[in-house]
Amino acid sequence: MSIATLKTLATCVVALAASTSAIHAVAADPLRVGVLIPGSKSDKGWMESGYDGLVAAQKELGPKLKTQMIENINYADMEQALTNLASKNQLVIGVGGQTQASVLKIAKRFPNVKFAIVGGNKGQDMPPNVAGYDVKQAEIAYVAGAAAAMLSKNGAVSYVGGMEIPSIVNAGKEFGNGARSINPKIKYFESYTGDFDNVSKAKEATLAAISQGADVHYHILNLGLRGMEQAASEKHTHVIGSYTDRCGTDPLYIAYSITGVGYQVQYAIDQMAAGTWQPGYKAFGLAMGPKASGMVVCSPTPQMSTKIKQIEQDIESGKIKVSEG
């Protein structure tokens, strides 16, 4: 073998080694994900469920995932926060339908970044780099209403929502419909505080319902839930929690509706990591299984469990029609 041939082979070996090192370096780069949580990650509600999903994804993927989170952002600062996340990450997740308008705007400025909206609504045109995940809150609110009617001793239940927007109003409507499906004569009180985080208004609304006999309360609130808890604790009534099953941790709570906020955060990250992420609207709800949506009564009777399961199946099959959202 000539000296020239040996030199050529040596050059090829060096080039191959350099190429292999480059491939390994690229493979070792973690997936970068930014998450915007408009409220508090410890609100015992929607935002905390979203944060739990982020934590679960980090635990699952380990060093393959690098995350950046921004929380407690008001509407005026949302676009700036999303711009910050989009400039540093491959995937940006907005936790809550209230992020949708800002996400749709910022996504157009970052066409190479993927965006996901947990609580995204159907009907709005989405850029090709945006996915909207619908938690189908109205579905599970109907089931929660049925559970509340079965659990109520006074024959009166209440619902307190935050902002009076279609998805929150539809959930309240279906909670009432679910309660009436069990007890047509049940008293149902529905109110909105105009703010997911206003503790005093949530307490005031819950106390007003209690004064009229309500003894089981449901909600779509964030930090405002603290007000409902205070009212229920003072008046010895009970709450049906949302988003995550925490049965056994607080006697104030007698049931939980699962709305899979954290599940959807983890879903977006897993899809991105696997290279299977898809844009567009995607409905979750009962059809996606118990991690996405379900009803958990903490101490159910066998009859109660059977009835709740039947209602869930009837919603899935379309026998029971519920509102969008």
Side-chain angles (χ1 to χ4, degrees):
M1 188 178 291
S2 66
I3 293 176
T5 302
L6 288 171
K7 287 182 177 180
T8 300
L9 285 172
T11 301
C12 289
V13 169
V14 171
L16 179 61
S19 176
T20 302
S21 297
I23 291 171
H24 285 164
V26 171
D29 285 345
L31 170 65
R32 300 185 308 279
V33 176
V35 178
L36 175 62
I37 295 180
S40 168
K41 67 180 182 181
S42 56
D43 66 354
K44 294 176 71 175
W46 180 288
M47 303 299 164
E48 185 168 337
S49 178
Y51 176 69
D52 288 345
L54 179 62
V55 171
Q58 187 69 75
K59 184 177 180 180
E60 176 191 7
L61 295 173
K64 296 179 183 179
L65 175 65
K66 183 177 181 180
T67 61
Q68 177 188 3
M69 185 186 74
I70 298 176
E71 67 171 322
N72 285 321
I73 292 295
N74 59 39
Y75 293 101
D77 298 325
M78 207 168 282
E79 289 183 18
Q80 182 179 349
L82 287 166
T83 300
N84 180 309
L85 293 172
S87 65
K88 301 173 184 176
N89 297 283
Q90 297 157 275
L91 170 67
V92 174
I93 303 172
V95 182
Q98 62 266 52
T99 70
Q100 180 155 313
S102 297
V103 167
L104 294 179
K105 183 176 180 179
I106 300 303
K108 295 175 182 177
R109 292 172 45 195
F110 293 88
N112 295 322
V113 177
K114 303 293 190 293
F115 293 80
I117 306 162
V118 175
N121 296 323
K122 188 177 183 179
Q124 284 192 262
D125 291 333
M126 292 186 178
N129 59 331
V130 178
Y133 301 148
D134 187 350
V135 301
K136 307 291 282 185
Q137 289 185 108
E139 275 190 358
I140 200 60
Y142 184 101
V143 187
M150 287 186 265
L151 292 164
S152 174
K153 295 179 180 178
N154 293 350
V157 299
S158 73
Y159 167 83
V160 179
M163 293 182 67
E164 201 166 350
I165 56 179
S167 60
I168 309 304
V169 172
N170 286 346
K173 171 187 172 183
E174 296 303 343
F175 179 80
N177 288 339
R180 284 186 286 268
S181 75
I182 299 299
N183 177 6
K185 295 182 178 181
I186 198 163
K187 294 179 181 178
Y188 171 52
F189 306 100
E190 180 180 330
S191 58
Y192 301 87
T193 64
D195 186 336
F196 292 109
D197 296 316
N198 192 305
V199 175
S200 62
K201 286 186 178 180
K203 181 176 182 179
E204 180 182 340
T206 306
L207 286 172
I210 292 172
S211 70
Q212 299 179 78
D215 60 350
V216 178
H217 320 291
Y218 188 58
H219 73 94
I220 295 183
L221 298 166
N222 294 333
L223 282 177
L225 175 59
R226 301 288 189 271
M228 177 175 280
E229 289 178 329
Q230 290 169 12
S233 179
E234 289 173 11
K235 300 299 182 179
H236 309 293
T237 58
H238 291 93
V239 177
I240 293 180
S242 298
Y243 315 116
T244 303
D245 175 11
R246 293 189 171 88
C247 278
T249 62
D250 186 341
L252 196 65
Y253 287 83
I254 52 177
Y256 291 88
S257 67
I258 310 303
T259 37
V261 176
Y263 174 78
Q264 290 174 52
V265 169
Q266 191 171 5
Y267 177 90
I269 295 172
D270 285 346
Q271 294 289 297
M272 191 73 179
T276 56
W277 183 92
Q278 294 290 326
Y281 171 83
K282 183 176 179 62
F284 281 72
L286 292 166
M288 286 290 285
K291 289 184 178 180
S293 185
M295 191 72 218
V296 179
V297 176
C298 297
S299 299
T301 64
Q303 294 84 356
M304 191 181 296
S305 296
T306 299
K307 183 62 176 178
I308 288 172
K309 188 65 177 176
Q310 186 61 59
I311 290 171
E312 291 178 345
Q313 290 173 353
D314 287 347
I315 291 173
E316 282 191 69
S317 70
K319 185 176 179 180
I320 295 176
K321 306 289 186 183
V322 297
S323 306
E324 287 292 331

